[in-house]
């Protein structure tokens, strides 16, 4: 299951052999390595490579439009993946399957099965800020990749609708556009189903279509 922990208690340490500044890339980082898993929720091709810059993916939802400003400079493979999946219709007609309402404040989307275990049939490696010891990064409006452990990124991502004290274990791929924040915050304020602190949104969030 692609999972963001309910209460973050462990922070990653800086890699002892790393000589990169946070967000810096090396020649080896200029290619994205996608590992096929053979378990796609919807059939899609592999992305062709890293993103060459910034892009905006617009999610038309039943709650209003959520614009995702993707940052290809620090997370070129994550940005390329979301762009590619949006172009292939992977996110169309899907539900955001998870809201958390205590300690961390996220809305999680990107799984066509709405179970938390679906994905595109491939994974890719972590990017910034994973491997650093930076804290306080997951402020309101951040978009990050959900994962089930190191280097298991796929299609699922989450939005932080409030500042959330997560460790730097999740690739940050961009930010929600300022004009979309009231929609995201309204979803968060409604909470999770049956008053739970970690469950499906109290009011369904249906992604009707994702476009670039």
């Amino acid at each position: 299951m692609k999972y963001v922990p309910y209460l973050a208690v462990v922070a990653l340490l800086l890699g002892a052999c790393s000589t990169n500044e946070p967000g810096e890339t090396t020649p080896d980082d200029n290619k994205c390595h996608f590992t096929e898993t053979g378990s796609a929720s919807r059939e899609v091709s592999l992305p062709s490579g890293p993103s060459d810059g910034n892009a905006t993916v617009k999610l038309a939802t039943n709650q209003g439009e959520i614009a995702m400003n993707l940052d290809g400079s620090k997370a070129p493979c994550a940005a390329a993946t979301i762009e590619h999946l949006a172009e292939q219709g992977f996110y169309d007609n899907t539900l955001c399957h998870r809201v958390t309402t205590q300690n961390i404040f996220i809305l999680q989307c990107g799984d066509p099965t709405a179970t938390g275990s679906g994905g595109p049939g491939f994974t890719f490696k972590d990017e910034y800020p994973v491997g650093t010891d930076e804290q306080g990064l997951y402020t309101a409006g951040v978009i990050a990749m959900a994962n089930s452990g190191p280097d298991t990124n796929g299609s699922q991502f989450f939005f932080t609708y409030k500042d959330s004290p997560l460790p730097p274990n999740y690739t940050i791929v961009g930010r929600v556009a300022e004009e979309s924040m009231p929609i995201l915050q309204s979803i968060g304020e409604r909470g999770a189903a049956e008053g739970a602190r970690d469950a499906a949104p109290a009011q369904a969030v249906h992604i009707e279509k994702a476009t670039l």
Side-chain angles (χ1 to χ4, degrees):
M1 177 177 290
K2 298 290 185 181
Y3 188 66
V4 179
Y6 178 69
L7 178 61
V9 294
V10 179
L12 290 181
L13 299 177
L14 274 171
C17 298
S18 175
T19 58
N20 292 352
E21 293 299 319
E24 183 182 355
T25 61
T26 68
D28 288 343
D29 294 323
N30 291 331
K31 293 183 179 180
C32 299
H33 301 283
F34 298 103
T35 302
E36 295 189 59
T37 64
S39 55
S41 301
R42 290 180 176 175
E43 291 302 319
V44 290
S45 61
L46 293 177
S48 59
S51 175
D52 57 4
N54 298 338
T56 298
V57 172
K58 296 180 179 180
L59 303 181
T61 83
N62 62 324
Q63 306 292 336
E65 183 179 273
I66 300 175
M68 305 168 64
N69 292 331
L70 306 181
D71 184 355
S73 65
K74 289 189 175 181
C77 300
T81 296
I82 291 179
E83 292 170 33
H84 178 74
L85 293 176
E87 289 177 328
Q88 296 217 332
F90 186 87
Y91 296 125
D92 295 353
N93 194 29
T94 62
L95 293 171
C96 294
H97 61 277
R98 185 181 184 215
V99 163
T100 62
T101 62
Q102 190 173 338
N103 297 314
I104 63 172
F105 306 94
I106 68 165
L107 171 69
Q108 191 165 328
C109 313
D111 172 11
T113 72
T115 63
S117 60
F122 62 83
T123 59
F124 61 94
K125 292 184 177 181
D126 295 323
E127 297 174 294
Y128 177 80
V130 180
T132 78
D133 60 358
E134 295 187 52
Q135 301 297 317
L137 298 175
Y138 301 89
T139 55
V142 160
I143 308 165
M145 302 304 296
N147 64 55
S148 54
D151 299 327
T152 58
N153 304 287
S155 61
Q156 293 187 44
F157 55 88
F158 63 89
F159 305 105
T160 52
Y161 62 90
K162 292 183 182 179
D163 294 354
S164 298
L166 288 163
N169 295 355
Y170 307 95
T171 295
I172 294 176
V173 67
R175 294 193 64 88
V176 174
E178 184 176 353
E179 62 270 20
S180 298
M181 280 302 297
I183 295 169
L184 178 61
Q185 290 167 336
S186 178
I187 293 168
E189 287 169 0
R190 294 190 192 103
E194 299 181 353
R197 60 186 188 179
D198 185 346
Q203 185 173 342
V205 180
H206 177 214
I207 299 174
E208 297 161 355
K209 191 168 184 61
T211 57
L212 283 169

